[in-house]
Amino acid sequence: GIQVEQSPPDLILQEGANSTLRCNFSDSVNNLQWFHQNPWGQLINLFYIPSGTKQNGRLSATTVATERYSLLYISSSQTTDSGVYFCAVERSNYKLTFGKGTLLTVNP
Amino acid sequence: DAGVIQSPRHEVTEMGQEVTLRCKPISGHNSLFWYRQTMMRGLELLIYFNNNVPIDDSGMPEDRFSAKMPNASFSTLKIQPSEPRDSAVYFCASSLGLRSGNTIYFGEGSWLTVV
């Protein structure tokens, strides 16, 4: 099956710093989504982005489908950004395959 | 919209007992998913329903697991008998359809502990 690798596995930032999270996938995909799991366990969809660039406030994402990677940018990080960020891809069916996530800790 | 609603939020049960997890998808969504999250295996898809019909249950770990979707607004995931290794967070999610550019929405999860 398709492999999804996320980096870095862990990231610690000071409030106000910027960060870039990466997602590499092993094959072409029909669907790519980024999720944030907050410290209470809730999974929130951030972006649906199989290709191109999208922005939502301090967050933006870029997927380069031909090179099989996606990047999630967080600018001016806040403590509420802490949690685990997951990349999930769908290749040729309905199954979303999740990466292992990046654990982000933003300190005040 | 109320989002995907799951119950119970937390359950602690003894090994051998039956566990039933419940899910109400977002109204109008025709795809429903059950996922399991553990530290060791991450997020795994257990079963997928489309228009109330189970399409793929290859992720269901054993015969002890079963899932039903009797109508468009309700689904259950049952574990009988439960074992300690079933301890995990079980998420229900719904979507209008992954390929049409619609996103998937997760419930808050059911935290299961089997002792």
Side-chain angles (χ1 to χ4, degrees):
Chain A
I2 192 167
Q3 304 298 312
V4 181
E5 295 184 0
Q6 293 188 241
S7 61
D10 302 277
L11 185 59
I12 300 175
L13 301 174
Q14 286 300 123
E15 202 166 24
N18 302 327
S19 62
T20 301
L21 282 56
R22 187 176 180 102
C23 172
N24 292 332
F25 42 97
S26 60
D27 211 334
S28 58
V29 298
N30 289 327
N31 179 0
L32 186 147
Q33 299 187 36
W34 282 96
F35 294 86
H36 174 223
Q37 187 167 36
N38 65 24
W40 296 270
Q42 190 174 8
L43 275 161
I44 305 295
N45 185 284
L46 298 175
F47 293 103
Y48 169 84
I49 186 165
S51 64
T53 298
K54 288 186 178 180
Q55 181 157 6
N56 184 3
R58 297 180 295 102
L59 302 182
S60 63
T62 295
T63 298
V64 183
T66 54
E67 297 187 22
R68 299 179 185 168
Y69 73 89
S70 183
L71 302 174
L72 178 69
Y73 305 96
I74 305 174
S75 63
S76 304
S77 58
Q78 300 176 358
T79 56
T80 52
D81 296 330
S82 296
V84 183
Y85 288 81
F86 290 101
C87 168
V89 302
E90 176 215 352
R91 172 159 161 69
S92 59
N93 52 38
Y94 46 83
K95 289 185 179 181
L96 274 179
T97 299
F98 283 78
K100 294 187 183 301
T102 292
L103 175 61
L104 175 65
T105 303
V106 181
N107 293 322
Chain B
D1 199 316
V4 177
I5 299 173
Q6 292 186 244
S7 64
R9 289 296 316 281
H10 300 271
E11 177 147 350
V12 180
T13 190
E14 292 185 345
M15 183 173 63
Q17 296 299 305
E18 178 179 295
V19 174
T20 299
L21 308 178
R22 298 173 177 79
C23 175
K24 176 179 169 55
I26 293 173
S27 177
H29 282 189
N30 63 349
S31 296
L32 184 138
F33 309 82
W34 283 99
Y35 281 85
R36 178 172 68 175
Q37 186 177 30
T38 61
M39 288 294 292
M40 291 295 293
R41 301 174 68 91
L43 274 157
E44 305 173 279
L45 177 65
L46 300 178
I47 188 168
Y48 160 62
F49 291 87
N50 189 53
N51 293 325
N52 312 338
V53 176
I55 303 300
D56 185 350
D57 65 355
S58 61
M60 297 286 263
E62 300 172 31
D63 291 345
R64 297 184 296 106
F65 286 70
S66 63
K68 295 182 179 179
M69 191 165 186
N71 57 62
S73 59
F74 184 66
S75 177
T76 60
L77 178 68
K78 186 175 293 187
I79 308 171
Q80 166 63 24
S82 58
E83 296 182 3
R85 59 192 168 124
D86 301 330
S87 298
V89 184
Y90 291 82
F91 287 99
C92 177
S94 72
S95 170
L96 281 170
L98 290 179
R99 291 200 196 182
S100 55
N102 296 300
T103 57
I104 185 171
Y105 296 88
F106 283 80
E108 294 185 324
S110 291
W111 298 62
L112 175 64
T113 302
V114 183
V115 297

